[in-house]
């Protein structure tokens, strides 16, 4: 085999239906005759083996662990995998304990700290945008361009299985009846109003009428209606569990443009003064459930990275297979040694019947065949990486959110890589870092409704920040958003995540909001006819790489 032996080994194994750990690939590539070694290893592997381990290869080749010294020699530029020390169960246990013993945040507002990164950073390809810590993109190249002998690989540790929270999978109860909607909205109101009640002097709407004219008062409610008055002021009607009450936002207030941000059904508080003749509250301030500016995210306690991708769209004629190949090859390279996790934020496949005339652009027309093809793509990913995936609106699960994870049938099809399959949304804790994964359909709505240009397809992270501010991944019900009523509102962002990962809009967006890292991960689908018709120029083949120990982000382009 030529120079890029490890890459070829991966291909040859994948062609025979096997996925392999990076150590296994290295052992084969380093053997005197890699082609023959592939054959021997495959012959030796059981029919039900899916991922070949280094031990399988040693057994098949009758070799000792002769590559164990090679990680110190990672400077070799063969572009292939680097040998790593064998995994040990003890380390995994240690890491699992670390993951679960992170400081409990009884009241998330108490996790405050020093820095106040108010600004939403702008995306910078190839550079970090984390809190301004590394404002110069070149810092980042230095920080992560570690394809050299100093790379220590994984210190013999292995990815820790993530913990999952807030996932509807297996818990769906809603029958879609009227009463279920009442329940879910009540739950949303209770949980979000709790976050606001401590901050304002809240009065139930029914008590307001009885208060003396001119009193100071505050209402915590769901936005029921927003309309402009004849004189250009804004009337915002809030609803709580007792009724509704109107608040007037005067157009000449310097904060009046907060109205641009409001979405129907979100929970806010308005403080103000009751009018002399009662019946209306003159607003002095508006509060969102929000994330405190002083929020301090948790980080991993070792150098380890995660690749965050989404919108693979296998089965579409526009699926960028060559770019995916390049990405998968890179994951096998020494440079990607620390990349132990792959998070996929939905739209694994193109699906069928998602949008009108979509069938004209399908490369694979059967949705199960699409998942089989996707599963083949996963086999190119190093077998020892931990993969976590949620569904999106193109996937074969119910469209209404929260979406449960893939069913048994689809799991079987995708079993080659034993990925962790969870619902949309879900919070996964990797190495102590809470990552809120949400596909992102509501971003279309937030971008369409927001009155300010800063929230646009070119800056999807600014739309993500809006979701964090509202502490809900899909605040506005109806319109483009379909919501399945469950006994609780899984779409409320109860606990503040350390990282928020979305996709869907096919545009790269990296930023931070009150120290929460925001990553919208782009796509693996070239521009479709529809996107061309509405001037969406997608970011294709982009893989943001997140340092779990520093939360710095580097964007790789393939
Ligand atoms: O959506 C990718 C992006 O393109 C997302 O912002 C929605 C938008 N999109 C794509 N196709 C359509 C159609 N036919 N109608 C409306 N909006 C569309 P994705 O779900 O990944 O295809
Ligand atoms: Fe998509
Ligand atoms: Zn989508």
């Amino acid at each position: 085999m030529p120079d890029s032996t490890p890459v070829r080994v991966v291909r040859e194994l994948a062609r025979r239906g096997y996925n392999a750990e990076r150590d296994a690939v290295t052992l084969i590539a380093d053997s005197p005759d890699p082609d023959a070694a592939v054959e021997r290893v495959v012959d030796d592997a059981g029919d039900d083996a899916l991922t070949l381990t280094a031990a399988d290869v040693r057994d098949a080749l009758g070799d000792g662990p002769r590559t164990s010294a090679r990680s110190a020699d990672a400077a070799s530029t063969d572009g292939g995998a680097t040998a790593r020390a064998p995994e040990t169960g003890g380390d995994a246990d240690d890491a699992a304990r670390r993951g679960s013993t992170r400081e409990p945040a009884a009241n998330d507002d108490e996790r405050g700290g020093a820095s106040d990164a108010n600004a939403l950073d702008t995306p910078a390809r190839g550079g970090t945008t984390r809190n301004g810590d590394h404002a110069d993109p070149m810092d980042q190249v230095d920080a992560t361009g570690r394809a050299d002998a100093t790379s220590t690989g994984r210190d013999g540790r292995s990815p820790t299985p993530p913990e999952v929270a807030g996932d509807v999978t297996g818990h769906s109860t809603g029958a879609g009846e009227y009463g279920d909607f009442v329940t879910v909205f009540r739950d949303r109101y209770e949980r979000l109003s709790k976050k606001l009640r401590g901050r304002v002097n809240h009065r139930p709407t029914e008590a307001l009428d009885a208060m003396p004219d001119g009193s100071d008062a505050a209402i915590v409610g769901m936005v029921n209606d927003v309309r402009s008055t004849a004189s250009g002021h804004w009337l915002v009607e809030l609803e709580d569990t007792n009724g509704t009450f109107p608040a007037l936002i005067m157009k000449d207030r310097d904060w009046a443009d907060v109205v641009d941000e409001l979405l129907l059904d979100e929970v806010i508080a308005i403080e103000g003064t009751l009018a002399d003749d009662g019946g209306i509250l003159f607003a002095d301030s508006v509060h969102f459930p929000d994330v405190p500016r002083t929020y301090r995210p948790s980080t991993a306690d070792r150098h380890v990275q995660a690749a965050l991708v989404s919108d693979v769209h296998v089965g579409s004629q526009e699926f960028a297979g060559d770019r995916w190949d390049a990405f998968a090859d890179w994951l096998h390279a020494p440079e990607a040694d620390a990349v132990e996790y792959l998070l996929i934020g939905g739209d694994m496949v193109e699906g069928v019947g998602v949008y009108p005339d979509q069938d004209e652009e399908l490369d694979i027309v059967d949705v199960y065949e699409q998942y089989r093809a996707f599963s083949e793509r996963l086999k190119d990913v190093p077998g020892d990486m931990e993969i976590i995936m949620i569904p999106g609106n193109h996937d074969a699960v119910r469209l209404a959110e929260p979406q449960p994870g893939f069913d048994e049938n689809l799991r079987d099809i995708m079993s080659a890589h034993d990925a962790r399959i969870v619902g949309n949304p879900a919070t996964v804790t990797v190495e102590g870092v809470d990552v809120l994964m949400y596909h992102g359909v509501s971003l279309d709505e937030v971008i369409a409704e927001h009155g300010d240009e800063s929230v646009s397809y070119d800056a999807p992270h600014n739309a993500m920040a809006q979701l964090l501010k509202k502490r809900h991944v899909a605040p506005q019900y109806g319109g483009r958003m379909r919501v399945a009523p469950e006994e609780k509102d899984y779409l409320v962002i109860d606990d503040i995540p350390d990282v928020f990962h979305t996709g869907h809009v096919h545009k790269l967006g990296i930023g931070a909001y009150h120290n929460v890292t925001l990553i919208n991960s782009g796509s693996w689908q070239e521009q479709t006819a529809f996107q061309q018709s509405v001037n969406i120029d997608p970011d294709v083949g982009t893989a943001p790489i997140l340092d779990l120990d520093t939360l710095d982000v580097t964007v790789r382009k393939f």
Side-chain angles (χ1 to χ4, degrees), residues 27-28 31 36-38 40-41 44 56-63:
L27 282 169
I28 296 174
S31 68
V38 167
R40 284 227 302 285
V41 172
D44 218 48
D56 293 336
V57 175
R58 285 193 198 101
D59 285 349
L61 303 183
D63 261 358

Side-chain angles (χ1 to χ4, degrees), residues 319-527:
F319 167 57
D322 291 348
R323 295 181 192 271
W324 182 269
D325 285 348
F327 171 51
D329 288 350
W330 178 77
L331 287 174
H332 283 276
E335 220 184 334
D337 239 16
V339 186
E340 297 183 23
Y341 297 90
L342 174 63
L343 274 50
I344 314 181
D347 286 358
M348 312 296 144
V349 301
E350 175 64 10
V352 292
V354 181
Y355 291 125
D357 300 328
Q358 184 206 18
D359 50 328
E360 289 166 20
E361 293 188 65
L362 286 181
D363 182 35
I364 304 172
V365 295
D366 179 280
V367 75
Y368 292 104
E369 286 305 321
Q370 292 179 0
Y371 281 100
R372 281 187 196 99
F374 172 71
S375 181
E376 290 305 308
R377 296 293 175 166
L378 283 188
K379 285 182 189 167
D380 296 335
V381 172
D384 49 356
M385 279 183 76
E386 178 84 37
I387 301 179
I388 304 153
M389 51 177 153
I390 63 168
N393 56 311
H394 282 251
D395 284 298
V397 302
R398 79 171 178 209
L399 189 56
E401 298 175 8
Q403 296 179 288
F406 299 118
D407 66 13
E408 283 310 315
N409 209 348
L410 293 174
R411 280 169 201 251
D412 276 353
I413 292 176
M414 291 183 275
S415 61
H417 210 306
D418 196 22
R420 186 72 192 255
I421 288 169
V422 294
N424 170 42
T427 298
V428 297
T429 304
V430 264
E431 306 279 339
V433 177
D434 289 344
V435 183
L436 171 59
M437 296 179 72
Y438 171 62
H439 177 60
V441 169
S442 70
L443 296 174
D444 284 329
E445 197 96 51
V446 173
I447 290 168
E449 297 287 324
H450 200 281
D452 186 316
E453 276 173 26
S454 66
V455 175
S456 71
Y457 285 105
D458 288 326
H461 50 290
N462 289 348
M464 297 172 74
Q466 287 287 310
L467 301 180
L468 280 180
K469 188 170 183 179
K470 299 168 193 305
R471 297 291 288 268
H472 198 281
V473 296
Q476 184 161 304
Y477 170 72
R480 300 168 206 220
M481 276 308 307
R482 288 162 208 234
V483 173
E486 298 288 348
E487 61 191 357
K488 66 171 224 178
D489 189 347
Y490 286 87
L491 308 178
V492 168
I493 305 174
D494 232 334
D495 297 319
I496 301 170
D498 302 316
V499 177
F500 186 20
H501 175 205
T502 59
H504 180 62
V505 295
H506 295 208
K507 295 293 280 184
L508 185 68
I510 314 285
Y513 179 70
H514 297 178
N515 305 321
V516 177
T517 300
L518 309 171
I519 301 177
N520 195 88
S521 49
S523 73
W524 300 85
Q525 182 186 39
E526 307 288 350
Q527 191 182 48

Side-chain angles (χ1 to χ4, degrees), residues 33-47:
D33 183 350
D35 285 309
V38 167
E39 298 306 332
R40 284 227 302 285
V41 172
V42 169
D43 279 351
D44 218 48
D47 283 345

